[in-house]
Amino acid sequence: MDLKVSWERMNGVLIASPAGRVDGVSSAAFREALVSEVPADERALLLDLRDLSYMSSAGLSVLLVLAKRFRGSGKAMGMCGLPAAIAAVVTLSGFDKIIPVYETRDAALETMSLPEDADPAQQPAEAPAAAPDEETDSNRKRSGPRRWSFKMHSN
């Protein structure tokens, strides 16, 4: 099955809806479709993955590139509609900690939407996230395996 990406805008959020498979063969097309089609000044991107049948680690690397573009105040990125197999990969790899995952498109748009005429510079800044090893509650101790961070290196 060929990979296709459809686009729409709702409530000031650009929505990309890929359909098909993202694997080693199609990941370059996936990257090109998403990275080149998202304007540099875009403030909010939602990936609706309900029509995606498969995503390999090559697809996750594309998500990481996009996540880096949408860091910072006044910007938002999210994913919704993840099929069970893709949700499992996203969760196991820790990408759900990098990119918010919403069960439905409506839930994502409710959280991510800004009025069309809103100035992102006037939006309240988000509180900085705690470092992964920093305790946010003095009564809690970190348990379980440590998360790995993924970094893209250019040649």
Side-chain angles (χ1 to χ4, degrees):
M1 175 186 246
D2 290 338
L3 177 68
K4 296 178 183 172
V5 180
S6 59
W7 298 89
E8 63 184 296
R9 185 174 296 279
M10 292 180 69
N11 301 335
V13 177
L14 182 62
I15 303 170
S17 300
R21 291 177 52 92
V22 179
D23 53 27
V25 174
S26 63
S27 65
F30 184 57
R31 179 183 175 128
E32 181 64 26
L34 292 178
V35 174
S36 68
E37 293 295 324
V38 176
D41 62 348
E42 187 64 46
R43 297 181 311 176
L45 175 67
L46 176 62
L47 300 175
D48 186 339
L49 304 180
R50 66 181 151 193
D51 294 326
L52 209 55
S53 60
Y54 176 79
M55 182 182 293
S56 71
S57 59
L60 291 177
S61 70
V62 174
L63 297 182
L64 186 59
V65 168
L66 286 168
K68 287 181 179 182
R69 284 181 62 181
F70 283 89
R71 280 191 289 191
S73 180
K75 293 191 172 200
M77 181 178 168
M79 299 183 284
C80 68
L82 281 68
I86 294 173
V89 170
V90 166
T91 301
L92 287 172
S93 64
F95 271 71
D96 59 330
K97 305 296 185 235
I98 299 169
I99 304 168
V101 176
Y102 302 92
E103 195 161 324
T104 65
R105 181 184 279 203
D106 289 341
L109 290 173
E110 185 177 309
T111 301
M112 297 174 66
S113 296
L114 289 174
E116 289 291 334
D117 61 348
D119 180 1
Q122 299 300 319
Q123 298 301 316
E126 296 178 18
D133 291 323
E134 198 174 67
E135 289 184 18
T136 55
D137 179 352
S138 60
N139 296 327
R140 282 192 339 195
K141 297 284 184 197
R142 183 179 173 89
S143 63
R146 293 195 181 272
R147 296 232 181 255
W148 295 94
S149 64
F150 299 92
K151 295 183 180 181
M152 298 283 297
H153 297 282
S154 59
N155 294 345

